[in-house]
Amino acid sequence: MIMLSRLFYAMNWFNVSPALKNIVNAFNVSPLQVGEGAILSSFLVGAGVFQVPAGIISARIGAKNTAMAGMFIMSLSVIASAFSTSFLEFVILRFVTGIAAAFFFSTAIGIINDLYSSNVTSMIGLYNGFFAIGGGIGIFLFTPLVSVYGWRMDMLVAGVLTLAVTIISFFAIPASEARGISDMKEVFRRIFSVTIWLVAIGLEGIWALNYTFSEVFQTYAENYVRIPNFTAGLMGGMILFSGIIGGYLTGVFRKFNRLRLVFVIPLFIGAMIMMVPVMNEIGLWAATVLEGTFAVVVISLEYGLVVQLDRDSRYVPLNVGIVNSIQIGLGSLVPLAFAFFQSYSYTVSWLFLGMFGFITLPFLGIAVKKKYVASF
């Protein structure tokens, strides 16, 4: 059930994507790209700021209770979004939805680590595969829903479905132990850990690229390349659905030099995204599949690395939360930057996004050179 919760959690990340233009126009926000950027970034800011508090709370009340609290809050805030009376109200509710996401994500990885400690990297790959399924559903299935019934029905359906799954999950997932954190010095030692910060910033580029690409691609394909709405939605959904393959490949790649992979793959993805402005429809199909597949591989390997940095399992949700907080906090600025460059041209936006995908890698290189991070 933790995997099913992950699916619906992801759906509420991405079901707003096909509705962005409708929401901004409904509240008469101008320019369009600023309104869209505000919606995307408000969610990320909420998710980023509360990752670390969620990790601390998880150690006090248990990972299951924290994760399920996040899912309940997410359900209610998404339902409330359907009844927003102003753009500011909608943005605030997306911020609250982001907070709820923070309470689920890192604590759920803590549960996985407890249950599958001997095979945690492969299980995190599966976990991210379910994120891909949920994200793909959020874009692909909700695109026609928005077209026929409008963005408010999008929010209402997503919220009600998530609430139903959360109630079932609450009773189905075994209770987790609240082991407590008695030494706050250990908490702060991890918050200011050079290793954790170097890993997080080093792979910030690929995280932000993956999030931004999946959120903005459908709008680009439909409004700029003039691909029909349904096809554009299917292509956008493939970015997320392809992560299912990435989740499987994560387990396969355990046999290879995984540190080398997390350096090489972002270079490949970044170069490919820089070529988006000159791609035809076939090229764009290929880009969505390849980006969705290999971004999940890198992100899954990253979480596997972070889990193995600490021998004390009490701090796994906190460590993952710190990485997420750093990456989401910085990554929340990337959709805004993409929208800013878009005011010049989409070409500039795609060049920026592709370069950002690998420009942060030297920070991970420092961690490897200093031997803070070994092969894993």
Side-chain angles (χ1 to χ4, degrees), residues 50-63 65-66 103 107 178 181:
F50 283 85
Q51 289 282 338
V52 174
I56 297 173
I57 291 171
S58 172
R60 294 188 179 278
I61 69 172
N65 291 335
T66 308
F103 275 72
T107 54
I181 294 178

Side-chain angles (χ1 to χ4, degrees), residues 151-168:
W151 66 269
R152 293 186 186 274
M153 185 60 69
D154 174 342
M155 297 294 114
L156 185 60
V157 170
V160 170
L161 288 175
T162 304
L163 181 60
V165 169
T166 302
I167 293 172
I168 296 171

Side-chain angles (χ1 to χ4, degrees), residues 84-271:
S84 299
T85 58
S86 69
F87 184 72
L88 177 61
E89 185 178 326
F90 186 89
V91 168
I92 291 173
L93 285 169
R94 285 305 292 175
F95 174 74
V96 174
T97 305
I99 294 174
F103 275 72
F104 176 81
F105 181 80
S106 57
T107 54
I109 286 189
I111 294 172
I112 291 173
N113 182 57
D114 288 341
L115 295 176
Y116 308 102
S117 58
S118 62
N119 196 25
V120 67
T121 300
S122 295
M123 293 308 299
I124 290 175
L126 179 63
Y127 178 71
N128 284 332
F130 273 85
F131 181 89
I133 297 171
I137 290 171
I139 294 177
F140 177 56
L141 294 186
F142 281 79
T143 294
L145 181 66
V146 171
S147 298
V148 176
Y149 296 105
W151 66 269
R152 293 186 186 274
M153 185 60 69
D154 174 342
M155 297 294 114
L156 185 60
V157 170
V160 170
L161 288 175
T162 304
L163 181 60
V165 169
T166 302
I167 293 172
I168 296 171
S169 298
F170 180 80
F171 291 103
I173 296 173
S176 54
E177 182 183 357
R179 290 167 288 188
I181 294 178
S182 59
D183 189 352
M184 290 304 294
K185 289 183 180 179
E186 289 297 309
V187 172
F188 286 107
R189 185 172 71 83
R190 287 164 174 81
I191 291 175
F192 296 105
S193 166
V194 173
T195 303
I196 291 176
W197 276 80
L198 286 174
V199 171
I201 296 175
L203 293 172
E204 167 65 40
I206 193 64
W207 188 96
L209 182 154
N210 183 56
Y211 175 77
T212 305
F213 184 58
S214 58
E215 289 285 8
V216 304
F217 179 82
Q218 181 187 345
T219 301
Y220 169 77
E222 182 179 350
N223 297 333
Y224 187 78
V225 187
R226 302 301 179 187
I227 294 174
N229 174 266
F230 177 81
T231 305
L234 179 59
M235 295 172 77
M238 281 304 298
I239 299 171
L240 283 304
F241 283 130
S242 298
I244 302 169
I245 305 172
Y248 168 76
L249 289 178
T250 301
V252 174
F253 286 156
R254 291 181 65 202
K255 304 173 184 177
F256 299 92
N257 186 319
R258 286 169 281 178
L259 273 178
R260 183 175 297 173
L261 287 173
V262 298
F263 279 100
V264 173
I265 293 176
L267 289 170
F268 164 72
I269 293 175

